[in-house]
Amino acid sequence: MPLIASTPVARMSRPYPRRRWALLVLCLSLLIVVMANTSLIVAAPDMTRDLGLDSSQLQWVIDAYTVPYAALMLVLGAVGDKYSRRGALITGLAVFGAGSVMGSLVHDANAVIAARAAMGTGAAVIMPATLSLLVATFPRHERARAITAWTATSGLAIALGPLLAGWLLEKHAWGSTFLINVPIAAVAIAAALVLVPPSRATDMGRLDLVGGLLSIVSVGSLVYAIIEGPHFGWGVGPVSAAVISGAGLLAFVGWELHHPHPILDVRTFRSRAFTGAMIAVLMFFFGTFGAIYYATQHLQFVLGYGPLATGVRLLPLAGAVFVGAALTGVLTPRLGMKSMVVAGMAIGTASVLLLTRIDTGSTYTDFLAPLAMLGFAIGLSVSPCTDTIMEAFPESRLGVGGGANDTALELGGALGIAVLGSVLSTGFRANLTDTVGDRLPAAALETATDSIGGALAVARSMARDPQVGPEQARALVSAANHAFADAVAHTSLVGGIIMAAATVLVLAVLPNRTPEHNGIKADAGADAETVPIDARPGRG
């Protein structure tokens, strides 16, 4: 067998013999893409202190990754389909690695934001490539298990990112959390050449460049509005972005309906299975990223855990993802995709609602069950959703299918952090202002009510000031902890209500099917024809 995997999948007469090793490479590539988002959660306090970030800069250090990531995935998935899916994976890893090196070396807020944007661009190439290569490499009857492993890797990365970042921050500066991606990306590039067979679409036709541009404008503007509006007010910028996104979406739909080779055939949304699965993925990650966003802040700022200790305490979520993923592989062929997805969404909703019990007397134990339930729900339901989404696309459009799935995932995460983060911030500000608004100077009050981290920083300054003293500082810390705990409980109620409404919507949208006709199949043949879901026999 040659050192470099050079035989395209389409030319193989039987399944690729090293496909499980290829899956390992794809999961490794996925791992660093998701870790880049979650690791920053525990690195943010160190970055804020070192770079002197205000709340706007910190928000964009986090979200500069999200905008290109969400906006470009659909287009870059199509590019990978047309030219080379493995080539796209390797290119994305190289760009991601270069952005990581840049992020570890710079010491300016704008330069860090630029590095995060470069990493997001690389991630937008990597994510759809991993999923399209997985589906192209595995025979149909093995795809469900492979997608389950891919989904479980996402759950592992959600917890592993904060854990690795916390371990590094014990002895190193925040730049090390960027640099950890570089050796992983280098190994993944080398392994992709050796273990991942080349793959590309045949007879795809010309790329739909106009549709691609419209999708970038629509999604990019939407993500910008989602980030800016809730956090910094609905001024001219966010409102204009929302209007541009809406107009771009209408133009995109109109263009795609009349284009002979659309980048995304919007008629696919006629499939209730596809549409329900997309909604479920979006809302799962709305709840997951939103809950983790404020749960980690509570663990760090209120309960006083360091970065490493916080990462360790997220491990139950990762373990529960694997348990749920193992269970869904057994139960989905028997009970059906709809049953598993709706059950998972109900469990996820319950996990968020459990966080409404958080108060100033809460300990880590109060977070343990919600985190484990959330992880279990992801493992149980996201894999069947992803398999259903990918089945809606022909072999020539696997990259587009991966881009659609991953765009829903990333939009959900961005919405969760933006919407629930805004509710959290508003609640915290109101609670703390009511408590200490008449006891702090205007400048100190503005800093303290901006975030829980800001309140603790003001308290430290007060403790060092002989005219104020430690007693008033302790009073501010107590008030801030109480205000934040109340804000977490209120935000969880809002998030739980949104998740519950989404669960009912998914229940209504997903069609009833017998187990053998679900997106995950137990015994479908490897050579089954790939056609849209609703066009298959028995899929009404």
Side-chain angles (χ1 to χ4, degrees):
M1 187 172 286
L3 179 63
I4 303 297
S6 56
T7 304
V9 173
R11 295 183 189 172
M12 295 180 184
S13 58
R14 55 184 181 177
Y16 176 56
R18 294 194 288 184
R19 57 192 179 278
R20 290 174 181 81
W21 287 104
L23 176 62
L24 182 62
V25 177
L26 301 178
C27 288
L28 186 65
S29 304
L30 171 67
L31 189 73
I32 59 172
V33 168
V34 180
M35 281 195 337
N37 252 341
T38 58
S39 63
L40 205 63
I41 293 173
V42 296
D46 282 22
M47 295 178 71
T48 300
R49 286 191 293 269
D50 190 28
L51 299 175
L53 303 177
D54 59 29
S55 60
S56 176
Q57 289 173 319
L58 176 60
Q59 192 65 42
W60 278 106
V61 165
I62 295 170
D63 289 320
Y65 184 83
T66 301
V67 176
Y69 184 15
L72 296 174
M73 271 193 285
L74 197 63
V75 174
L76 295 177
V79 170
D81 280 337
K82 183 169 180 63
Y83 296 107
S84 172
R85 291 165 182 146
R86 185 177 70 175
L89 175 66
I90 291 171
T91 301
L93 287 166
V95 172
F96 190 91
S100 299
V101 171
M102 177 182 173
S104 71
L105 297 176
V106 297
H107 297 282
D108 172 76
N110 292 331
V112 174
I113 291 170
R116 289 278 295 170
M119 292 170 66
T121 302
V125 190
I126 295 167
M127 279 289 275
T130 60
L131 202 46
S132 62
L133 283 164
L134 183 156
V135 175
T137 303
F138 278 80
R140 185 174 297 279
H141 65 285
E142 295 181 3
R143 286 179 190 170
R145 292 187 183 90
I147 288 175
T148 298
W150 185 90
T151 302
T153 301
S154 297
L156 174 65
I158 288 172
L160 192 60
L163 179 64
L164 281 177
W167 174 65
L168 289 168
L169 290 169
E170 291 289 306
K171 295 185 178 179
H172 303 282
W174 56 263
S176 61
T177 63
F178 283 79
L179 210 56
I180 191 63
N181 299 314
V182 178
I184 300 175
V187 169
I189 289 172
L193 288 170
V194 176
L195 298 169
V196 179
S199 170
R200 61 187 290 267
T202 56
D203 303 323
M204 182 176 169
R206 295 177 61 184
L207 280 174
D208 176 15
L209 297 178
V210 174
L213 179 61
L214 288 171
S215 76
I216 292 171
V217 171
S218 300
V219 177
S221 299
L222 176 62
V223 173
Y224 175 84
I226 288 170
I227 293 167
E228 279 287 304
H231 283 281
F232 308 114
W234 290 96
V236 175
V239 171
S240 299
V243 171
I244 291 170
S245 177
L249 179 61
L250 290 174
F252 175 76
V253 172
W255 177 266
E256 297 300 278
L257 286 172
H258 293 92
H259 196 279
H261 301 289
I263 194 167
L264 174 64
D265 188 351
V266 293
R267 297 175 187 86
T268 309
F269 285 92
R270 292 175 181 173
S271 164
R272 291 169 58 195
F274 173 79
T275 301
M278 289 282 285
I279 295 171
V281 168
L282 186 145
M283 294 312 301
F284 257 118
F285 286 91
F286 171 93
T288 300
F289 278 87
I292 289 176
Y293 176 74
Y294 58 77
T296 52
Q297 289 189 62
H298 197 283
L299 293 174
Q300 287 185 277
F301 292 116
V302 177
L303 298 183
Y305 292 115
L308 178 58
T310 300
V312 169
R313 282 161 178 79
L314 291 178
L315 285 177
L317 184 147
V321 170
F322 278 93
V323 174
L327 194 60
T328 201
V330 175
L331 294 183
T332 304
R334 299 177 183 178
L335 302 179
M337 177 260 195
K338 181 175 182 175
S339 298
M340 303 307 292
V341 172
V342 173
M345 291 199 71
I347 294 169
T349 299
S351 73
V352 175
L353 288 173
L354 276 177
L355 291 172
T356 59
R357 303 179 306 159
I358 297 300
D359 57 29
T360 49
S362 296
T363 65
Y364 170 67
T365 306
D366 296 289
F367 287 88
L368 182 58
L371 288 173
M373 289 170 63
L374 191 58
F376 181 76
I378 293 169
L380 196 67
S381 301
V382 174
S383 174
C385 288
T386 298
D387 196 58
T388 298
I389 290 167
M390 293 305 292
E391 280 200 342
F393 292 87
E395 298 289 339
S396 61
R397 297 281 175 175
L398 293 178
V400 175
N405 178 86
D406 300 335
T407 299
L409 185 157
E410 191 60 24
L411 274 178
L415 272 168
I417 291 174
V419 174
L420 298 184
S422 177
V423 173
L424 179 79
S425 178
T426 302
F428 173 74
R429 183 178 296 111
N431 292 340
L432 191 59
T433 301
D434 288 344
T435 306
V436 301
D438 57 348
R439 286 185 261 160
L440 291 178
L445 180 63
E446 183 178 355
T447 301
T449 56
D450 184 59
S451 65
I452 178 68
L456 298 182
V458 170
R460 285 192 294 269
S461 297
M462 291 171 64
R464 293 192 297 266
D465 188 342
Q467 295 182 341
V468 180
E471 185 175 340
Q472 291 190 46
R474 285 194 293 270
L476 176 57
V477 170
S478 176
N481 289 346
H482 190 278
F484 193 81
D486 285 351
V488 166
H490 175 67
T491 303
S492 299
L493 178 62
V494 173
I497 291 171
I498 294 172
M499 290 280 288
T503 302
V504 173
L505 177 61
V506 170
L507 177 65
V509 172
L510 285 176
N512 293 313
R513 291 180 182 164
T514 55
E516 64 268 24
H517 291 305
N518 275 287
I520 290 185
K521 300 185 200 176
D523 5 81
D527 56 352
E529 183 183 5
T530 304
V531 294
I533 292 176
D534 285 346
R536 293 178 189 160
R539 290 178 178 262

